[in-house]
Amino acid sequence: MAFLFLLTMPGNIELLKGDITKLTVDAIVNAANSSLMGGGGVDGAIHRAGGPAILEECRMIVAKQGGCKTGEAVITTGGHLPAKFVIHTVGPVWHGGKNDEQELLAACYQNSLNLALEHKLSSIAFPNISTGVYGYPKKEAADVAITSVSVFLKQHTFISKVYFVCFDEENYQLYQSLIRQ
Ligand code: AR6
């Protein structure tokens, strides 16, 4: 996104490296799939650490609305996690960039933040959605993530802290260079 560097980064964005399941925040975001039935990567880690209560609530959501579409988000308990809630969002699979991947990834961040607002949650942590199994190029994904969150935070001051949690060194370096204030 070309306008990224024209934005002043809000001070309430913080970069962390490590395992998102360890964070004590109002909500952590899960990079889920449309079935909401768990999987590998960060999804697997969240369900393992949070226990069966998360999957139970996911099942109820599936029974009610039939899963979660790409770009959308749903919320469940955090179960045994230190985070109170998990916001599950479904990132786009990278198909070369001409299949609305950018808009769909931005929607993941926006819809997750909207859910946090609706539930009066003020601290939220994001993993690097779509940059694992779903194959979204990391630099492009970081641009979308940082831009979407920065724009949102300028419009909604209730959210006091957003953490970008990078698990791999490559994402961490990329975010560091983009967030430099
Ligand atoms: N904490 C923070 N980030 C993590 C963790 C962790 N514990 N573990 C992995 N990551 P991925 P996707 C990072 O593949 O690309 C699942 O099977 C990882 O380094 O988890 O959106 C779902 O069920 C990467 O940067 O999610 C879906 O089927 C980022 O999390 C599918 O994968 C995202 O990688 C979703 O694929």
Side-chain angles (χ1 to χ4, degrees):
M1 284 183 170
F3 58 94
L4 176 67
F5 298 100
L6 299 177
L7 284 169
T8 321
M9 220 52 76
N12 42 2
I13 287 182
E14 206 170 301
L15 179 62
L16 297 174
K17 183 156 188 276
D19 181 354
I20 201 167
T21 66
K22 309 282 188 223
L23 290 188
T24 305
V25 285
D26 290 336
I28 61 169
V29 175
N30 181 17
N33 61 63
S34 295
S35 79
L36 296 176
M37 291 296 103
V42 69
D43 194 4
I46 288 172
H47 281 280
R48 273 193 304 278
I54 299 177
L55 194 59
E56 259 167 52
E57 282 194 24
C58 284
R59 286 214 171 90
M60 287 194 267
I61 293 166
V62 171
K64 204 169 138 198
Q65 68 174 55
C68 181
K69 293 196 185 100
T70 305
E72 294 184 357
V74 299
I75 188 165
T76 67
T77 174
H80 300 312
L81 292 169
K84 292 186 204 126
F85 295 92
V86 177
I87 293 173
H88 307 258
T89 189
V90 182
V93 177
W94 181 258
H95 288 299
K98 297 204 169 104
N99 292 278
D100 298 329
E101 290 96 332
Q102 184 177 310
E103 291 75 12
L104 290 166
L105 186 60
C108 287
Y109 287 93
Q110 288 151 1
N111 287 326
S112 297
L113 289 165
N114 272 324
L115 259 187
L117 267 188
E118 274 171 37
H119 288 78
K120 300 197 164 35
L121 310 179
S122 66
S123 59
I124 177 166
F126 285 99
N128 309 134
I129 301 165
S130 281
T131 68
V133 177
Y134 281 0
Y136 206 112
K138 290 179 181 175
K139 163 73 169 65
E140 283 78 357
D143 280 348
V144 173
I146 294 168
T147 303
S148 324
V149 169
S150 302
V151 169
F152 193 97
L153 290 183
K154 278 174 200 249
Q155 292 161 349
H156 303 92
T157 49
F158 181 78
I159 295 184
S160 59
K161 203 72 172 179
V162 173
Y163 298 95
F164 286 117
V165 185
C166 301
F167 198 61
D168 58 275
E169 183 63 23
E170 189 186 347
N171 264 317
Y172 184 66
Q173 294 293 339
L174 272 168
Y175 272 76
Q176 234 177 5
S177 64
L178 292 170
I179 289 180
R180 200 177 292 141
Q181 292 174 26

